[in-house]
Structure formats: C-alpha cells, structure tokens
Amino acid sequence: MTAESPKVVVVVPTYNERDNLPVLARLLADLPVPDLHLLVVDDNSPDGTGEVADGLAAEAPGTVGVLHRTTKDGLGRAYLAGMTRALDEGADVVIQMDADLSHPAAVIPAMVDTLLTTDTAVVLGSRYVTGGSTAADWPWHRKALSAWANAYVNAILRLHVKDATAGFKAWRSGTLRAIDLPSVHSNGYSFQVEMNYRTVRRGLTIREVPIRFEERTRGASKMSLAVQLESALTPWRLRFGRTPPG
C-alpha cells in the first residue's frame, strides 16, 4: 500500500435504498480522502436503487462504480462480490459500510489514517469503545440484545474486540487476500463475525475507533429470523468446525 495516496474503495451493498444512496454518495464525495471511490453492489432492487446508482456513476465516472447482481442471496455474498471487484480493480483499502446511513461517513478519514500509520489489519467502527454509542432511540431490549450478542461471540471465539458484530470496517487489501475471501462461508450478519475470526486466527491486528451508530430513518431493516439463527450458530461452527484456509 502506498503511504501517500492509497486507492480507497467504499463497498456499499444495496437493496431498496434509493432514497439513502444519493445522500451517502454526497457524504463520501465531501470527505478529505484522496482517491476515494464508491462501489455500489445492488441486488436487483425492485425500488430502482440500481438505476439510481447508475445515475450516480454517470455523474462521477471513474469515482462511482456499480456492480449489478441478479439475485438477492444475502449481505455476506454481496460484500464478498464487492470486495473481490475492488481488489481486482487495484484497491489498497476497502471499506465496508451500510447504505442506510447508520454508519457515520465522517469517521472514514480516521479509519484510513489508522490503517496507514499502524500495523493494523482491519479497523472497526465500534459502538462499544470509549466515545462510541448505539442509537439513542433504540429501546432498552435492543441495546441489551446487541450487548449480549457481542459478549456471546467473544465468549466462544475470544476475538478480544468490543464490537465483534460491527459492520463498518476498513480493510487493508493484503488482509482480505490473506483471509481467503472465496472460502468464506457465512452470510447475513454472521459474515462480520467470520471475517473477524479469520483475521484473528492469522495473528493479525484489529483496532477499533469509536462511532455513534444511528438508526435508519428511511427504508426497512433486512434482519430476518433466518439471519438471526445463522448469527447464533456461526460462532460454534467456526470454533469447532473446519479450520478456515490459510
């Protein structure tokens, strides 16, 4: 990775995010990060998000790209497709974030700086380190569930991170290659846990920077019972199942 001006690609999976995507694109364009690119991975959104993404790409050729997928087969598959595309196109840093504006784009410069100035393999945007927080309008039971999920994952996998389920991350390209993306099994939100586990298993360093997580104000959550069940079972599969390649 070049220390002066790495190519930074923000990978954003979308499904029915036509209202949020232009807002996010503007926030990213205003960041003081040289050579920043946006790659939208759209899963054939019925609300026309893919067409909105194409319009953004036409307005900013070379800066905004779109990967159209014909089926909706989970968040993890979408991220893997986007990360693979970003690596193929020469990304030095790959950032993963949601399109629903829950992740604060303003923290990206600090995440990139942490990668460039330390031996960090991946930086997590963390709700649970000092200075971080969950959405103020979350009910108590949702806050408790989130805290419990992180304790559960760490108790089984011993990741030694505060926000093991975080979905806002900045990766070194070398880290993504080292953890062997094609062999990642998890989908849904358990994808985040498996990616962290593979990083830790290789002796690589994870660091966390504080973020304030915001609840989405437009669109609907993609959480389902199947996703929750997979998230509960994945730590056990990783702990006692087949060792990840590498």
Side-chain angles (χ1 to χ4, degrees):
M1 180 188 309
T2 58
E4 294 183 356
S5 185
K7 181 177 182 179
V8 179
V9 178
V10 182
V11 176
V12 179
T14 57
Y15 187 77
N16 289 348
E17 299 284 2
R18 64 171 297 129
D19 294 329
N20 291 323
L21 183 59
V23 178
L24 177 60
R26 287 194 296 271
L27 291 172
L28 293 174
D30 290 341
L31 292 178
V33 179
D35 207 10
L36 181 77
H37 302 257
L38 168 62
L39 175 58
V40 179
V41 183
D42 186 68
D43 280 359
N44 198 24
S45 298
D47 75 341
T49 301
E51 289 77 9
V52 172
D54 287 336
L56 294 171
E59 294 172 5
T63 301
V64 178
V66 187
L67 175 57
H68 292 281
R69 302 194 329 138
T70 57
T71 57
K72 183 178 186 294
D73 60 357
L75 181 69
R77 299 302 101 187
Y79 267 129
L80 290 172
M83 289 172 168
T84 300
R85 171 82 163 263
L87 293 176
D88 289 345
E89 294 181 349
D92 298 300
V93 173
V94 178
I95 294 171
Q96 59 172 93
M97 68 186 302
D98 292 345
D100 61 9
L101 308 179
S102 60
H103 298 151
V107 181
I108 288 176
M111 297 172 79
V112 173
D113 183 67
T114 300
L115 279 182
L116 296 179
T117 58
T118 68
D119 62 348
T120 307
V122 56
V123 178
L124 311 185
S126 177
R127 298 162 290 183
Y128 298 118
V129 294
T130 301
S133 65
T134 56
D137 52 354
W138 271 14
W140 71 267
H141 57 82
R142 186 171 178 187
K143 292 181 180 180
L145 177 61
S146 178
W148 178 85
N150 274 285
Y152 174 81
V153 168
N154 272 303
I156 298 168
L157 298 180
R158 299 168 189 160
L159 299 177
H160 303 294
V161 295
K162 299 290 187 181
D163 200 345
T165 61
F168 186 24
K169 302 178 181 177
W171 296 88
R172 287 181 182 266
S173 59
T175 305
L176 292 177
R177 292 188 174 94
I179 62 179
D180 190 22
L181 292 180
S183 69
V184 173
H185 301 289
S186 302
N187 210 351
Y189 291 89
S190 61
F191 167 79
Q192 315 296 357
V193 174
E194 179 166 351
M195 294 286 280
N196 289 338
Y197 180 68
R198 286 170 174 250
T199 302
V200 170
R201 281 294 298 269
R202 282 154 183 77
L204 301 173
T205 302
I206 299 177
R207 283 190 168 85
E208 300 176 80
V209 298
I211 66 165
R212 175 180 172 80
F213 182 89
E214 298 290 351
E215 185 59 274
R216 69 160 56 241
T217 58
R218 302 174 182 175
S221 171
K222 312 304 189 296
M223 179 68 76
S224 66
L225 178 59
V227 167
Q228 293 178 59
L229 288 173
E230 182 192 17
S231 298
L233 294 173
T234 290
W236 296 107
R237 174 178 62 78
L238 294 173
R239 176 76 182 274
F240 297 109
R242 184 172 65 85
T243 301

